[in-house]
Amino acid sequence: MKIVEVNSSVTVNYTGRLNDGSVFDSSLTEGREPLNATLGQGSLIPGFEKGLLGMKEGDKKTVEIPFNEAYGTVREDLVVEVTKDKVPDNVTEGQMLQTMTPEGPMNVVVKEVNDKNVIIDGNHPLAGKDLIFDLELVSID
């Protein structure tokens, strides 16, 4: 029987939760499909990949992933104050925007809007958070 190793192509169902039990993502949501990925290509967070290693088809398990093996720490240098003329009119707190950086496009969240400026945050929304994933290995291709 095949087991998951580096470079395996897998199909996996997952539910991602925070420590408070709130679900932030799940392939089991209606209309969603299981995740297809090849390990070792950087498309998955490191702790998710590590959790899949050694699993066999049909295996289920729960993995706890510390923030440093997920989306990393919250970086203060990614929280920036810009003048309102740099963002769309009527921008609101919590809104997602896209900005261009030397490395390419980057999603940011509007954290605060005041009279003259807007504070935007380029950190991943799950940065600094430990994650819990329930995994079910559907297949190894």
Side-chain angles (χ1 to χ4, degrees):
M1 179 170 238
K2 292 193 281 190
I3 64 165
V4 177
E5 49 195 42
V6 176
N7 298 321
S8 291
S9 292
V10 299
T11 302
V12 60
N13 274 313
Y14 66 90
T15 298
R17 297 178 280 123
L18 299 175
N19 286 329
D20 66 5
S22 60
V23 173
F24 61 83
D25 192 16
S26 178
S27 67
L28 301 174
T29 304
E30 191 174 331
R32 299 273 310 267
E33 295 288 325
L35 172 71
N36 295 303
T38 300
L39 277 62
Q41 296 187 333
S43 61
L44 302 173
I45 59 173
F48 193 98
E49 276 202 19
K50 197 184 294 184
L52 290 169
L53 292 173
M55 290 182 75
K56 297 187 277 309
E57 288 184 4
D59 281 358
K60 294 181 181 183
K61 74 176 179 182
T62 299
V63 294
E64 295 185 23
I65 303 173
F67 68 89
N68 61 322
E69 291 184 16
Y71 294 98
T73 59
V74 174
R75 290 180 36 198
E76 294 303 322
D77 63 314
L78 295 179
V79 180
V80 185
E81 191 165 359
V82 297
T83 55
K84 273 191 168 172
D85 64 346
K86 300 266 195 272
V87 298
D89 292 340
N90 303 320
V91 71
T92 57
E93 206 171 289
Q95 189 174 355
M96 182 81 75
L97 301 174
Q98 192 173 73
T99 186
M100 197 48 103
T101 70
E103 293 82 35
M106 176 180 185
N107 291 326
V108 297
V109 175
V110 177
K111 287 295 191 187
E112 187 180 313
V113 179
N114 57 42
D115 291 341
K116 295 180 183 162
N117 298 317
V118 175
I119 297 174
I120 57 174
D121 185 351
N123 285 289
H124 189 283
L126 296 173
K129 293 180 171 37
D130 296 332
L131 309 178
I132 301 164
F133 278 95
D134 299 318
L135 304 174
E136 177 188 6
L137 188 68
V138 177
S139 65
I140 303 171
D141 305 322

